[in-house]
Amino acid sequence: MSQNVDINEIDKFSQLASEWWDPNGKCKPLHIINPLRVDYVKQQCASIENQLVLDVGCGGGILSESLAKLGAKVTAIDLADVSLDVARSHAKLGGLSIDYKKQTVEEHAKQYPAHYDVITCMELLEHVPDPLSIIRACAKLLKPNGKLFLSTINRNHKAKLLLIYGAEYIARLVPKGTHDFNRFIRPSELMTWVEQAGLSTGDVIGMEYHLLKNQFKLGANIDVNYILMAQKMD
Ligand code: SAH
């Protein structure tokens, strides 16, 4: 394999491409957590207006569009043609200008070193063979002081129970096989990779599920879904 891509993963996401923008479809969990991650990016960056932002593994553009609506100049990459088609037409309908490209982040890094103020790479690392290679490419793409936001899923029994048995088998929220437990990433592993890529971890925050309220919230609990913010020091 010459590229850091799992074709089965690309196929899997291509199959649900028609549902990217259905808030009650198979991408429902992404729609639920999206406002939280956008709030977090806003919290961590004074403003992203007019900032150059790259969204890696953008899918149908759920996050890319929210960032563009905040005034960021967004480039977004993915490898699934059908998802990129959906993303392009949805942005057009909403009058948003987002530069969608089919390209690996490793290739993109060769063309645009030290180019971006902010990079988001959400819910992607647990779907690729070599997450460190993605993080290294993001590090290369960042300007000095630029910020990288990585979100993924912790690897423990609770995450397995909630996301694989709960969301895939019981609630049938997402298709069976959406997640591969072995690819879940512990925060300590992610921090090590971030350091290996020459970045510093600035902050880690959980996206916690509150059963009683049936709501997700940002909080200190990083047992399951979490976001790590890393910075490229000058
Ligand atoms: N980041 C989006 C979508 C997450 S789903 C969001 O959180 O809303 C994961 C996405 O990663 C899919 O669109 C899939 O096609 C894409 N993907 C998988 N492997 C990839 C790779 N190696 N490079 C770029 N995108 C990839």
Side-chain angles (χ1 to χ4, degrees), residues 4 125-126 128-136 183 185 193:
N4 179 21
L125 294 177
E126 69 275 19
V128 297
D130 183 356
L132 175 57
S133 163
I134 303 271
I135 300 169
R136 281 193 204 281
R183 282 195 171 159
I185 302 167
W193 291 336

Side-chain angles (χ1 to χ4, degrees), residues 159-208:
K160 186 176 198 173
L161 201 71
L162 281 175
L163 288 177
I164 300 188
Y165 298 120
E168 293 187 16
Y169 284 80
I170 301 171
R172 308 242 168 126
L173 207 55
V174 294
K176 286 181 189 159
T178 297
H179 300 110
D180 174 353
F181 177 69
N182 297 314
R183 282 195 171 159
F184 289 3
I185 302 167
R186 295 196 181 120
S188 57
E189 294 164 337
L190 192 54
M191 283 184 211
T192 305
W193 291 336
V194 157
E195 273 171 35
Q196 285 174 1
L199 303 173
S200 311
T201 297
D203 190 56
V204 185
I205 197 156
M207 291 187 279
E208 304 168 6

Side-chain angles (χ1 to χ4, degrees), residues 67-220:
L67 299 171
K69 283 182 185 159
L70 292 174
K73 294 182 177 146
V74 182
T75 301
I77 56 177
D78 202 288
L79 297 174
D81 286 303
V82 275
S83 296
L84 288 166
D85 287 346
V86 168
R88 286 190 188 104
S89 11
H90 197 271
K92 200 170 171 192
L93 278 176
L96 291 168
S97 158
I98 297 171
D99 188 8
Y100 285 107
K101 292 182 201 282
K102 182 183 179 185
Q103 200 175 35
T104 63
V105 67
E106 289 90 346
E107 275 302 313
H108 197 68
K110 288 183 194 156
Q111 290 172 3
Y112 296 95
H115 184 75
Y116 291 98
D117 299 295
V118 172
I119 302 181
T120 53
C121 177
M122 307 261 189
E123 312 308 319
L124 166 68
L125 294 177
E126 69 275 19
H127 300 287
V128 297
D130 183 356
L132 175 57
S133 163
I134 303 271
I135 300 169
R136 281 193 204 281
C138 291
K140 188 171 171 189
L141 285 155
L142 280 179
K143 287 179 186 168
N145 292 318
K147 287 179 177 164
L148 171 64
F149 293 85
L150 301 165
S151 76
T152 189
I153 303 169
N154 202 341
R155 194 176 66 256
N156 55 39
H157 290 303
K158 185 172 166 186
K160 186 176 198 173
L161 201 71
L162 281 175
L163 288 177
I164 300 188
Y165 298 120
E168 293 187 16
Y169 284 80
I170 301 171
R172 308 242 168 126
L173 207 55
V174 294
K176 286 181 189 159
T178 297
H179 300 110
D180 174 353
F181 177 69
N182 297 314
R183 282 195 171 159
F184 289 3
I185 302 167
R186 295 196 181 120
S188 57
E189 294 164 337
L190 192 54
M191 283 184 211
T192 305
W193 291 336
V194 157
E195 273 171 35
Q196 285 174 1
L199 303 173
S200 311
T201 297
D203 190 56
V204 185
I205 197 156
M207 291 187 279
E208 304 168 6
Y209 179 63
H210 290 251
L211 192 67
L212 292 177
K213 294 185 190 154
N214 190 25
Q215 253 181 16
F216 276 88
K217 273 189 171 175
L218 289 174

Side-chain angles (χ1 to χ4, degrees), residues 3-22:
Q3 287 190 325
N4 179 21
V5 181
D6 182 337
I7 294 301
N8 294 327
E9 293 289 325
I10 303 299
D11 287 348
K12 218 158 67 181
F13 285 103
S14 299
Q15 277 161 25
L16 51 82
S18 63
E19 297 191 34
W20 276 114
W21 286 96
D22 178 354

Side-chain angles (χ1 to χ4, degrees), residues 49-81:
E49 200 173 349
N50 291 320
Q51 301 265 292
L52 295 179
V53 174
L54 176 69
D55 187 22
V56 181
C58 59
I62 297 171
L63 177 65
S64 327
E65 286 204 6
S66 299
L67 299 171
K69 283 182 185 159
L70 292 174
K73 294 182 177 146
V74 182
T75 301
I77 56 177
D78 202 288
L79 297 174
D81 286 303

